[in-house]
Amino acid sequence: MIDQLYRKAVLTVSGQKQIESLVRSRGWSVAQRFVAGESAQTAIAAVGELAADGILSNLDLLGEFVASPEKANEFAGQVLHLLDAARAEGIKPYVSVKLSSIGQGQTVDGQDLGLTNARRIIGKAKEYGGFVCLDMEDHPRVDQTLEQFRVLVGEFGAQHVGTVLQSYLYRAEADRASLDDLRPNLRIVKGAYLEPESVAMPVKADVDANYRKLVYAHLKAGNYVNVATHDETIIADVQHFVLAHGISKDAFEFQMLYGIRRDLQKELAAQGYRVRAYIPYGRDWYAYFSRRIAERPANVMFVLRGMLKG
Ligand code: FDA
């Protein structure tokens, strides 16, 4: 409950324009702990650094909801550029995309623009032997994201497109089961948005218990799971679960965020687990950064100290 109140307080305060402009102007040096620079080149350099430690990468051009088709197309163009830049460096591109940033909910030529742009991005990723994960955003977008995911898996195959389920949502297990026929590659997360109690569990212990349930159910169904968490207890439980059920290390991977628990990422990779870091980059870092601060009270002090230092 305290976690929920803390998250609500941070996300409410960070939504205020004055706070946003203050943090945008003074907070970049602090944000760099979580964000790998502003350009595709700096993000691709981070891929190389992680690879040296045996860690795979998931590139994410930062961006949230955009209101105009022009902006959505421009953003999609930048993701296509990222795929080309990665390929030019000999990297099979693995990227994450928020459908709201490429036009989801805007109709152009009778089609949802998010779906049209997702087709362009996944088509190119597939051509390069890569993979696109459709990030999950706040709850009003879940239905459409899952519907579009189903269409895209049908067109490109589950080995080139995946999506995310959030264990704080009551509906998550029903959604997981409803996708089973696609043999989907799913990233399981706890959930990072400010959600009402009518849709999301307010008690952290329930979110954690549901997290385990989702991971175990998806593994038991024989589907590929991205165990995306920094929660060491859950990670240890998953390690025990796969051992007890004879599930191979190829059936899942651990995923963590850039700048968080690099020690643990390295340790797991050294133990022979597949580990992937989510590497966000780009100029639109504020909303992503606010969600990272909202996850952990100690991060507020880290930000304040960093901003005071200038
Ligand atoms: P929890 O919050 O319980 O934290 C466990 C421990 O991890 C903490 O005690 C602390 O040590 C460490 N930790 C966690 N967050 C930290 C932080 N910000 N700074 C420092 N330490 C921290 N969400 C979403 O809604 N949609 C999405 O598409 C995604 N995608 C995604 C991809 C990947 C690869 C990851 C790892 C996470 C996401 N998330 C997400 C975010 C997710 O929902 C969740 O908010 C964070 O992962 C934090 O939750 P944990 O599972 O780490 O557990």
Side-chain angles (χ1 to χ4, degrees):
M1 195 53 108
I2 289 176
D3 305 280
Q4 183 72 0
L5 288 175
Y6 168 73
R7 177 193 300 200
K8 190 168 179 186
V10 173
L11 292 179
T12 306
V13 170
S14 66
Q16 291 174 5
K17 284 285 160 232
Q18 300 95 312
I19 298 289
E20 177 170 346
S21 64
L22 179 70
V23 177
R24 275 190 187 280
S25 63
R26 306 218 34 183
W28 172 236
S29 61
V30 188
Q32 280 175 309
R33 174 182 157 191
F34 300 108
V35 177
E38 294 197 334
S39 71
Q41 285 320 320
T42 53
I44 287 171
V47 173
E49 267 173 47
L50 288 157
D53 286 333
I55 299 165
L56 301 165
S57 294
N58 172 1
L59 288 161
D60 174 54
L61 173 59
L62 290 168
E64 313 277 326
F65 168 74
V66 291
S68 80
E70 293 73 27
K71 289 258 177 244
N73 288 334
E74 188 186 315
F75 191 85
Q78 289 176 42
V79 178
L80 293 169
H81 165 75
L82 168 66
L83 296 175
D84 288 333
R87 155 101 155 180
E89 295 293 325
I91 297 167
K92 268 192 191 169
Y94 188 122
V95 301
S96 283
V97 176
K98 286 183 177 44
L99 286 169
S100 72
S101 68
I102 54 170
Q104 188 184 57
Q106 300 176 45
T107 306
V108 174
D109 297 333
Q111 272 275 0
D112 183 80
L113 184 60
L115 185 59
T116 305
N117 277 326
R119 286 188 171 114
R120 293 168 65 204
I121 292 168
I122 300 164
K124 183 168 270 207
K126 181 173 180 173
E127 187 189 325
Y128 294 169
F131 186 85
V132 179
C133 182
L134 308 174
D135 278 351
M136 195 55 81
E137 303 176 68
D138 51 351
H139 79 276
R141 292 193 175 272
V142 175
D143 277 335
Q144 199 176 14
T145 298
L146 295 183
E147 278 160 27
Q148 295 182 339
F149 171 64
R150 179 169 280 282
V151 170
L152 293 164
V153 171
E155 294 175 9
F156 298 97
Q159 66 279 34
H160 295 290
V161 55
T163 192
V164 181
L165 294 180
Q166 298 151 317
S167 72
Y168 63 12
L169 294 185
Y170 294 108
R171 59 179 288 175
E173 171 51 24
D175 287 337
R176 193 206 61 75
S178 77
L179 295 171
D180 247 358
D181 61 301
L182 301 176
R183 312 294 319 275
N185 175 319
L186 292 181
R187 180 198 301 159
I188 310 294
V189 302
K190 292 187 187 177
Y193 293 81
L194 188 57
E195 296 288 17
E197 287 187 20
S198 53
V199 301
M201 301 170 192
V203 176
K204 189 174 184 315
D206 295 337
V207 177
D208 292 354
N210 200 36
Y211 189 98
R212 290 180 175 81
K213 253 168 90 178
L214 289 163
V215 170
Y216 298 164
H218 209 53
L219 282 170
K220 273 199 201 157
N223 297 319
Y224 195 84
V225 187
N226 304 296
V227 183
T229 182
H230 315 90
D231 188 326
E232 284 189 87
T233 319
I234 290 184
I235 290 171
D237 288 348
V238 171
Q239 289 172 310
H240 289 131
F241 181 87
V242 293
L243 212 61
H245 291 80
I247 295 170
S248 118
K249 282 180 177 164
D250 292 336
F252 67 99
E253 65 189 48
F254 291 114
Q255 295 191 344
M256 293 183 220
L257 302 176
Y258 180 82
I260 301 180
R261 296 306 311 269
R262 178 80 173 262
D263 56 333
L264 184 56
Q265 298 177 26
K266 277 165 70 170
E267 193 182 310
L268 289 167
Q271 290 168 20
Y273 291 100
R274 198 173 288 154
V275 180
R276 192 180 302 277
Y278 185 101
I279 307 181
Y281 76 95
R283 301 176 70 84
D284 195 5
W285 47 267
Y286 183 73
Y288 176 86
F289 180 58
S290 303
R291 289 196 290 276
R292 300 297 74 84
I293 302 311
E295 279 157 3
R296 192 163 174 255
N299 286 350
V300 167
M301 290 315 295
F302 166 72
V303 173
L304 291 176
R305 273 200 305 271
M307 284 179 54
L308 288 173
K309 269 194 236 148

